[in-house]
């Protein structure tokens, strides 16, 4: 068994969604003074690699803490979207048989390679409206992507979020290194903190593959 890291590290200087404050990690206690070390975390719930709940965009939508633990684990499939200007329904239909056999559909755009650069926030491939509707019709637990959002950063209506979260899908954003999983069967695990009425939460996302 091999566990593959898919999570960006949270730091004081990491990229954040435009208009969102940077996380602040402050040393609250030290071994020298108190006998133990503790860190105060001050950050938005959608910082770094994180999960969107339906409650993030949908009035009265389901929060993360209302999902059972099994909702965060399942079989995954990575769709190679690198070099695409947009994610089309035609690309999805080419892999429909494989997608219908999994719980999570992950979009590998290659944009994680621009993490820390201004380009990370610009021109990343997104689902077309028709593609989003097609994905929403599938029997999935959720989706994920190695970019900052399901919708462009200048979006004001967030149509892809509304379509998929409206189907009670979970969405994990800011994943990394999905290219290592293209064409491979794996178990996707993406675990958020369980806090009350959570609209979203930073999470540790990994993929588990079986050794040949």
């Amino acid at each position: 068994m091999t566990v593959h890291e898919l999570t960006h590290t949270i730091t004081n200087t990491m990229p954040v969604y435009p208009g969102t404050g940077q996380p602040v990690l402050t040393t609250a206690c030290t071994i020298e003074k108190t006998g133990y070390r503790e860190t105060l975390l001050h950050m938005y719930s959608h910082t770094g690699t994180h999960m969107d709940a339906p409650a993030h965009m949908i009035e009265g939508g389901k929060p993360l803490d209302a999902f059972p633990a099994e909702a965060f684990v399942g079989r995954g499939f990575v769709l190679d979207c690198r070099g695409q200007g947009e994610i089309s329904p035609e690309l999805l239909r080419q892999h429909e048989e494989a997608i219908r056999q999994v719980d999570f559909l992950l979009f590998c755009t290659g944009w994680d390679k621009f993490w820390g650069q201004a380009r990370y926030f610009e021109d990343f491939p997104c689902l077309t409206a028709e593609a989003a509707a097609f994905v929403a019709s599938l029997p999935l637990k959720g989706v994920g992507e190695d970019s900052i959002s399901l919708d462009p950063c200048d979006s004001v209506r967030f149509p892809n979020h509304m379509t998929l979260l409206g189907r009670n899908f979970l969405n994990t954003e800011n994943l990394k290194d999905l290219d290592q999983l293209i064409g491979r069967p794996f178990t996707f695990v993406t675990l958020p903190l369980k806090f009350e009425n959570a609209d979203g939460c930073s999470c540790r996302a990994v993929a588990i593959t079986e050794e040949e």
Side-chain angles (χ1 to χ4, degrees):
M1 180 181 75
T2 302
V3 179
H4 304 264
E5 179 68 76
L6 306 178
T7 312
H8 290 287
T9 302
I10 295 173
T11 71
N12 288 321
T13 58
M14 69 186 297
V16 295
Y17 193 84
T20 301
Q22 294 286 152
V24 179
L25 283 64
T26 304
T27 300
C29 302
T30 64
I31 295 175
E32 180 182 20
K33 291 185 178 180
T34 59
Y36 55 88
R37 181 182 172 191
E38 198 165 8
T39 302
L40 175 64
L41 308 179
H42 186 270
M43 62 187 192
Y44 282 72
S45 53
H46 295 258
T47 295
T49 302
H50 69 274
M51 180 179 287
D52 295 344
H56 179 44
M57 294 279 183
I58 309 294
E59 187 68 34
K62 192 173 182 178
L64 290 181
D65 51 306
F67 283 85
E70 66 185 24
F72 309 120
V73 180
R75 294 163 298 168
F77 177 82
V78 171
L79 184 68
D80 189 356
C81 308
R82 294 172 297 178
Q84 304 289 319
E86 60 185 13
I87 303 172
S88 68
E90 291 75 23
L91 179 62
L92 288 159
R93 290 191 180 102
Q94 290 174 20
H95 303 276
E96 182 174 357
E97 183 178 351
I99 294 171
R100 286 189 176 276
Q101 296 178 29
V102 301
D103 303 296
F104 291 93
L105 173 58
L106 309 180
F107 303 108
C108 177
T109 69
W111 239 250
D112 57 319
K113 307 308 184 220
F114 305 124
W115 180 260
Q117 304 176 35
R119 186 178 177 184
Y120 187 69
F121 303 96
E122 303 170 353
D123 301 326
F124 47 88
C126 292
L127 292 160
T128 66
E130 186 181 353
F134 177 78
V135 173
S137 73
L138 299 170
L140 298 170
K141 292 181 179 180
V143 296
E145 57 276 355
D146 58 2
S147 58
I148 198 166
S149 179
L150 279 169
D151 292 289
C153 286
D154 60 357
S155 179
V156 294
R157 296 187 181 275
F158 308 101
N160 291 335
H161 279 84
M162 299 299 288
T163 296
L164 298 179
L165 297 181
R167 287 275 291 133
N168 268 348
F169 279 19
L170 297 168
N171 173 42
T172 305
E173 296 176 328
N174 291 325
L175 293 165
K176 73 182 191 78
D177 296 334
L178 292 179
D179 53 341
Q180 65 186 315
L181 299 169
I182 293 171
R184 303 178 67 182
F186 63 93
T187 298
F188 183 57
V189 182
T190 178
L191 297 175
L193 294 175
K194 188 178 183 181
F195 67 88
E196 187 176 20
N197 205 27
D199 53 86
C201 188
S202 301
C203 55
R204 187 71 177 261
V206 301
I208 302 172
T209 56
E210 297 297 327
E211 299 293 340
E212 296 182 357

